[in-house]
Amino acid sequence: MRVTGRLLFVLIFAFAALGAMSQQHAEQSATDSEIRIGNVVPYSGPLSEFGAIGQAEAAYFDMINDRGGINGRKVRFITRDDNSDPTTALELTRNLVEQDDVHLMFGSFGTPGNLATRWYLNEKKIPQLFVASGDEELSQAKAFPWTMGWQPSFRSEGRIYANYIQAYYPRKKIVVLWQNDQFGRMLYRGIQEGLGDLNRLVLVDIAFDIADEHLEGHVSILKRSGADIFVFLGVPSTASKVIRLAASLKWRPVFIVSDASASIANAMAPAGLENSAGVISAAFLKDPSDPAWKDDPAMKDWFAFMDKYHHVESTNNSAALYGYAAAESLTHVLKQCGDDLSRENIMRQAASLKGYQPSVALPSIRMNTTPNSYLPIRQMRLVQFDGRSWQPFGEVIETAFTEGAAR
């Protein structure tokens, strides 16, 4: 994995600071009446669309508190805005631990921020649970036993798209438009690993920044390459623009988008449902804007939750559903802890999940962990958008690389 200069500086700074700290044992900071949970997400800045994750998690714990809390303890969820800045993420995390006395960090968003805080939290023996990133570096059980991922890995998701191309379009020409950060790089790395010798069929790949003002030029270049398959690896707001641009150029390739963009409400509808018809992705959670789930009991619970606890303009936000599912998963772990809410027991319970299914996960998607395997969700389904709904095809795919969790 390549690390940007700025992130490397942050990691070196954090490591140097830790070297000056004395070794400490994880102390009990939960009280008999309260569990304090820290969280850092981008409520502002270029990735602010993912602030919906933290907002939904806060609302979820409000619901849990109304129901009596977890094993008799109320949850105090303290969430902060890092503006997608790893330096800020480290500072905020230190404040949450040392000033707010949180018992654990949960669901903090993004690879750079979580990597920046990982050394600090592991030195302090503070659980860094269910981070909102699919980077396998955040699921290294042996090297960092206090840090655990949640979602399928980006790298293995990329491998799924490569395998799909190999199976259905083995001689077709490919272009890739990928987000120029660790998220996009890991997805693209998985595609390259999966394609193997077929990488010769990738005619052009273009990296773009979140605030890129040249998307029209990028898409035009990709079209002129004569490719049959267009792979987009980025966020929903950019995906919608790219799909719409391709349609305006009367270009209809096989269109593959990453799971982060596979939202009807946030990407397909803004791009135009007709323009988006045929788009392929891989998913592990239900899409709240998909009419296929309107009679699903778990999704009815979701909409009731949104109506009562999370008053936002739209109940169809996939990022919010992600936060709901992650918070539900953490609640399950904390319930398993019983009266022993020591940090050691929280990690022990998180590392012993067997077949747990978040209520809004796709059928057959389960969470499984062991002390040597910190990739809880390893399964995805290929889906295709038919202009109205996501249609699954093929079998549930096991995504995790065996070396990813234990290095």
Side-chain angles (χ1 to χ4, degrees):
M1 183 193 71
R2 291 176 291 175
V3 182
T4 65
R6 184 178 187 186
L7 178 56
L8 182 59
F9 171 78
V10 172
L11 293 175
I12 292 171
F13 173 80
F15 186 69
L18 292 174
M21 295 169 54
S22 59
Q23 291 288 332
Q24 303 180 44
H25 293 290
E27 297 177 356
Q28 176 68 284
S29 67
T31 68
D32 290 339
S33 60
E34 185 179 66
I35 306 170
R36 289 181 292 281
I37 299 172
N39 170 264
V40 175
V41 296
Y43 291 110
S44 60
L47 294 173
S48 60
E49 61 191 289
F50 294 103
I53 294 175
Q55 292 170 339
E57 289 165 346
Y60 186 90
F61 291 122
D62 286 342
M63 179 182 71
I64 290 297
N65 287 339
D66 280 355
R67 295 177 178 179
I70 299 174
N71 298 333
R73 292 178 173 89
K74 294 297 181 72
V75 174
R76 184 181 171 202
F77 182 69
I78 310 170
T79 181
R80 300 284 186 255
D81 176 16
D82 69 352
N83 195 251
S84 305
D85 185 326
T87 306
T88 304
L90 176 58
E91 180 183 358
L92 291 172
T93 298
R94 292 178 69 106
N95 289 342
L96 285 165
V97 170
E98 296 171 17
Q99 297 178 19
D100 295 294
D101 197 27
V102 297
H103 197 50
L104 68 150
M105 292 296 297
F106 154 71
S108 293
F109 179 85
T111 303
N114 279 297
L115 287 176
T117 59
R118 179 176 63 170
W119 286 99
Y120 170 76
L121 292 170
N122 276 263
E123 179 73 10
K124 297 281 284 185
K125 299 183 179 179
I126 308 292
Q128 185 182 15
L129 273 182
F130 300 159
V131 299
S133 167
D135 196 304
E136 291 173 4
E137 284 298 316
L138 292 163
S139 293
Q140 305 298 329
K142 291 182 179 178
F144 297 97
W146 295 88
T147 300
M148 182 181 289
W150 185 68
Q151 68 192 70
S153 81
F154 297 142
R155 180 176 155 219
S156 51
E157 181 187 343
R159 187 78 173 256
I160 288 174
Y161 302 134
N163 291 346
Y164 168 77
I165 292 168
Q166 287 176 318
Y168 288 85
Y169 305 100
R171 289 176 292 278
K172 298 296 184 180
K173 297 173 183 177
I174 307 161
V175 290
V176 183
L177 183 62
W178 55 280
Q179 192 166 297
N180 190 20
D181 57 17
Q182 285 159 295
F183 159 67
R185 281 193 291 274
M186 286 298 104
L187 280 163
Y188 190 27
R189 177 181 167 188
I191 289 174
Q192 292 171 311
E193 291 173 339
L195 287 176
D197 291 342
L198 292 184
N199 272 295
R200 67 184 184 278
L201 297 175
V202 178
L203 302 180
V204 183
D205 74 272
I206 298 176
F208 69 93
D209 296 323
I210 287 288
D212 201 313
E213 298 178 355
H214 306 289
L215 288 176
E216 186 173 358
H218 298 336
V219 175
S220 179
I221 290 169
L222 296 176
K223 180 195 175 185
R224 291 200 302 271
S225 72
D228 308 290
I229 301 168
F230 183 1
V231 181
F232 172 80
L233 310 173
V235 299
S237 56
T238 310
S240 65
K241 296 173 186 176
V242 168
I243 293 169
R244 192 165 59 248
L245 284 168
S248 72
L249 296 172
K250 302 189 184 308
W251 183 29
R252 299 291 295 186
V254 176
F255 218 124
I256 299 173
V257 304
S258 54
D259 172 52
S261 296
S263 166
I264 297 174
N266 303 124
M268 305 301 117
L273 295 178
E274 183 178 347
N275 296 335
S276 303
V279 166
I280 291 161
S281 189
F284 67 101
L285 296 175
K286 298 167 184 173
D287 185 336
S289 49
D290 192 332
W293 304 113
K294 66 182 178 66
D295 295 323
D296 179 70
M299 293 307 296
K300 287 183 177 180
D301 289 343
W302 154 260
F303 288 116
F305 155 78
M306 291 291 281
D307 288 341
K308 184 172 182 180
Y309 291 98
H310 195 23
H311 306 295
V312 292
E313 183 176 342
S314 173
T315 59
N316 292 327
N317 190 308
S318 292
L321 187 90
Y322 178 107
Y324 175 94
E328 182 183 51
S329 302
L330 179 66
T331 299
H332 175 77
V333 168
L334 295 176
K335 285 181 177 178
Q336 283 192 168
C337 289
D339 290 331
D340 182 2
L341 273 173
S342 65
R343 288 166 174 148
E344 291 86 352
N345 191 43
I346 289 174
M347 290 307 302
R348 186 160 49 246
Q349 297 304 321
S352 59
L353 294 170
K354 299 187 186 305
Y356 173 69
Q357 183 176 35
S359 64
V360 293
L362 291 175
S364 301
I365 303 297
R366 298 284 191 275
M367 292 177 64
N368 290 283
T369 55
T370 72
N372 294 315
S373 177
Y374 272 22
L375 287 166
I377 301 177
R378 308 177 180 212
Q379 301 160 317
M380 300 186 86
R381 292 290 306 273
L382 280 166
V383 293
Q384 184 169 32
F385 186 61
D386 66 4
R388 180 175 178 270
S389 179
W390 291 107
Q391 300 297 328
F393 62 97
E395 302 298 322
V396 172
I397 302 167
E398 189 82 9
T399 67
F401 290 87
T402 55
E403 75 270 22
R407 191 171 64 216

